[in-house]
């Protein structure tokens, strides 16, 4: 399936309701408004195709960029490729759910994420923290340095309240994910979440929301889901 055919099929799947929802979350034109589930039949036909993924991502069309993440071959992507993708990710649904997800299936995921977390750029930091969430929720605990994750928990505790909005949200998710999916630091994550407390998230044109990692961890504990790992990251 070539580029033109994919774009035509995505356009045909567009819904005005989805388009409005994506725009309310920060997307802008061009976009079609395709529900992510509706993309699966096309993805099954293509499977992985990095060249096509690059063509689609370069369009700046939100739906094409999202679909690019589904068919990308993360292990074929270099650090410079991921840097190009994060530079093109203009809002959090691209940085955290396309770029971070794709990066999490690569062999350089932690290395690149560490650089983004240290970058000072809101969406890069958000993508870096989000990538660790995808990693911790999918890979075995032994794949991570316990001291490194512990230091990251300390970083969350000391800086989350002063971080930019999207970074703040991703850091809160990281805190919850460690508490739920990374058993070696489950207890420390709980204590850190207690000390961090409620995190206020102000958003343009939307009501302020309040994030509570401690409550999130407790809910999963009550459901018996501590140690939970996803079988797959991408759909």
């Amino acid at each position: 399936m070539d580029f033109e055919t994919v774009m035509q099929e995505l356009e045909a799947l567009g819904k005005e309701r989805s388009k409005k929802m994506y725009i309310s979350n920060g997307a802008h034109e061009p976009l079609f408004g395709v529900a992510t589930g509706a993309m699966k039949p096309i993805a099954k036909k293509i499977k992985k195709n990095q060249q096509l993924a690059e063509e689609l991502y370069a369009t700046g069309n939100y739906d094409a960029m999202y679909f690019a993440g589904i068919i990308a071959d993360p292990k074929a992507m270099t650090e410079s490729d991921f840097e190009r993708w994060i530079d093109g990710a203009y809002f959090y649904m691209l940085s955290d759910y396309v770029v971070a997800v794709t990066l999490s299936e690569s062999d350089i995921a932690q290395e690149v994420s560490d650089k983004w977390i240290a970058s000072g750029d809101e969406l890069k930091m958000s993508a870096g923290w989000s990538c660790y969430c995808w990693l911790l929720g999918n890979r075995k605990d032994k794949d991570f340095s316990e001291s490194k994750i512990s230091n990251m928990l300390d970083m969350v505790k000391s800086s989350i309240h002063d971080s930019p909005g999207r970074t703040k949200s991703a850091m809160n998710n990281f805190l919850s994910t460690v508490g739920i999916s990374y058993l070696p630091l489950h207890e420390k994550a709980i204590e850190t979440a207690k000390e961090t407390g409620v995190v206020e998230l102000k958003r343009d044109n939307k009501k302020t929301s309040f994030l509570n990692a401690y409550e999130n961890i407790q809910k999963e504990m009550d459901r018996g889901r501590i140690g939970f790992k996803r079988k797959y990251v991408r759909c």
Side-chain angles (χ1 to χ4, degrees):
M1 194 175 290
D2 63 17
F3 170 79
E4 293 296 339
T5 305
V6 172
M7 290 299 289
Q8 288 168 9
E9 294 210 13
L10 288 174
E11 185 172 11
L13 291 168
K15 303 289 184 185
E16 196 61 32
R17 183 177 178 181
S18 296
K19 186 174 181 177
K20 287 179 180 177
M21 181 188 71
Y22 296 150
I23 289 173
S24 73
N25 279 289
H28 58 56
E29 293 285 1
L31 77 164
F32 304 131
V34 184
T36 55
M39 296 180 179
K40 288 184 178 180
I42 314 174
K44 284 183 179 178
K45 294 177 188 176
I46 298 171
K47 296 181 181 176
K48 289 181 182 178
N49 187 325
Q50 186 59 32
Q51 183 177 342
L52 179 56
E54 292 289 359
E55 289 182 77
L56 292 166
Y57 198 86
T59 63
N61 177 299
Y62 169 68
D63 302 287
M65 295 171 83
Y66 193 99
F67 188 71
I70 296 175
I71 64 167
D73 182 359
K75 294 186 185 301
M77 295 178 71
T78 65
E79 184 173 345
S80 62
D81 292 328
F82 285 112
E83 288 292 346
R84 182 160 36 78
W85 276 40
I86 194 64
D87 286 343
Y90 63 85
F91 79 123
Y92 80 96
M93 288 174 69
L94 289 169
S95 63
D96 294 13
Y97 298 112
V98 178
V99 183
V101 169
T102 307
L103 176 61
S104 74
E105 292 196 355
S106 75
D107 296 330
I108 55 173
Q110 292 191 53
E111 175 188 340
V112 174
S113 293
D114 291 343
K115 291 179 181 178
W116 289 354
I117 287 170
S119 70
D121 178 271
E122 180 176 7
L123 289 182
K124 279 191 175 183
M125 291 190 291
S126 179
W129 286 105
S130 294
C131 185
Y132 268 98
C133 293
W134 299 115
L135 288 167
L136 289 162
N138 172 252
R139 298 191 186 183
K140 294 177 181 178
D141 289 347
K142 67 179 179 60
D143 292 343
F144 303 92
S145 161
E146 184 175 336
S147 62
K148 179 180 181 179
I149 302 300
S150 179
N151 289 338
M152 292 174 75
L153 287 175
D154 293 338
M155 192 188 308
V156 169
K157 183 171 68 174
S158 65
S159 63
I160 188 169
H161 292 290
D162 298 320
S163 294
R166 290 317 317 177
T167 307
K168 188 182 289 187
S169 178
M171 292 172 90
N172 187 78
N173 288 339
F174 172 83
L175 184 49
S176 297
T177 303
V178 175
I180 295 162
S181 296
Y182 187 65
L183 290 177
L185 291 172
H186 168 70
E187 294 298 334
K188 178 168 181 174
I190 290 175
E191 291 306 312
T192 304
K194 282 182 183 176
E195 293 174 38
T196 299
V198 175
V199 176
E200 184 178 10
L201 183 62
K202 295 180 179 179
R203 297 174 293 176
D204 294 339
N205 304 318
K206 288 195 174 187
K207 290 182 179 178
T208 296
S209 56
F210 298 92
L211 311 175
N212 191 321
Y214 178 71
E215 286 187 356
N216 293 341
I217 297 169
Q218 286 296 321
K219 284 178 185 176
E220 296 305 295
M221 288 176 66
D222 293 342
R223 294 169 65 188
R225 283 165 58 88
I226 298 305
F228 167 75
K229 300 283 186 182
R230 297 181 189 85
K231 190 171 183 180
Y232 303 104
V233 177
R234 291 188 293 172
C235 64

